[in-house]
Amino acid sequence: MKQKNILKLTAATFAIISAGTLLFNSAAEMTLAANNKKVGKVPTSYQVSGGMETELSKSEVKEKNGEKINYFVSMDSLNTGTPTDTDLTMEEAAEAGNQYLKNIFGLDLEGAYVYMHYYPGTATFPRAFWSGDVLFQKEQKPESTRWTYMIDAVTGELFNICHDRPLDVSVSLDYDAALEKDYFLYAELAQKKVEEYKLMNSPVDRVVYNCQGYSGNDPTITVDVIGENGEIVNMSFSRYDQMFLGLITDTSQKITESALDNLSEEVVSIETEEVEYDTIAWTTSIVK
C-alpha cells in the first residue's frame, strides 16, 4: 500500500504545474507507470511563452571563486500569480533555483534563459512556490532541452528539480520487466547521488523500486531512496544511458500527500451528503 501511495504522489507532484507553464511538461510522463506493468503516460499541452524581448533582464550571480555568471531571467508571459511582500523576489528565486541546478546537475548557467512563474498554491500543493524553466535558447519549444525546478516561495527550499532532453536516437520505451527485480545499478546511482550532494538529512537505509515510464522519447526508471529517519527522496534516471533526470524531495511528497488526503476527505463528505439528500428526497416522494 505504501508503494502505491508513493507512486500516486510522484505522479500528482509532477502534474501540479504542468498546466501552467512548460515546467515539468514531460516529468509527468516520465514518473508514471501502472501497476499492471504497462508504461504510463500523461498527455500534456505545451504553452509557449512569447514576447520575451521586453521582459528579459540580465542577472549576475557571484561564484565562490569570484567569477560571475551572466544569465537572462524574466517572468513567464503566462504567469498569473503575484508574489507577496514575504515571498522571494523573482530574481532571488531564480538565483536560488539556479544554485540547485549547479549543485545537483553541475549546470553552468552562463548565457541561459530563465523563465519564472509564481504560484500562490494549488489544490494538490497548498504552498506558495516559484517554478523556473531554464533553457539555452531564447524561444521555448516542446522539444527543447531544459532544466526545471520548483522551490518554496518564502524559504527557497527545494521541492522538485528535473532535466528533460530529446534523444537523437530511437530506443524502446517498452516496460522492462527484469528491472523491477534487478535495479541494482540505479539503486547504486541514486544512493551515490544522495550521499554526494547531501540530499537527505540522515544516512541512507535502502533504495526501493518505484516505477518505469518515459519522458518524450527517453525511457525512464524511478526509485525511492529511503533514509534511516524515514525520509524519502524520489529519483528518476534514463534507462537509455543511466543519466540522472530529476528528484522529488521528501517535503514535497508530504505536502502533496496531506493535500490529497484532505481532498479525499472532502470528496467522501460531499458524496455522503449527496446520498443523504437523495435518501431524504426518495423518502419524501414515497410519503407523498
Side-chain angles (χ1 to χ4, degrees), residues 3 22 29 100 134 140 149 219 288:
Q3 185 70 9
L22 286 165
E29 296 175 357
Y100 285 123
V134 181
Q140 299 186 71
Y149 54 80
K288 290 180 178 180

Side-chain angles (χ1 to χ4, degrees), residues 3-19:
Q3 185 70 9
K4 290 182 180 179
N5 289 338
I6 293 173
L7 216 172
K8 291 177 182 177
L9 288 175
T10 303
T13 302
F14 277 126
I16 291 168
I17 43 187
S18 61

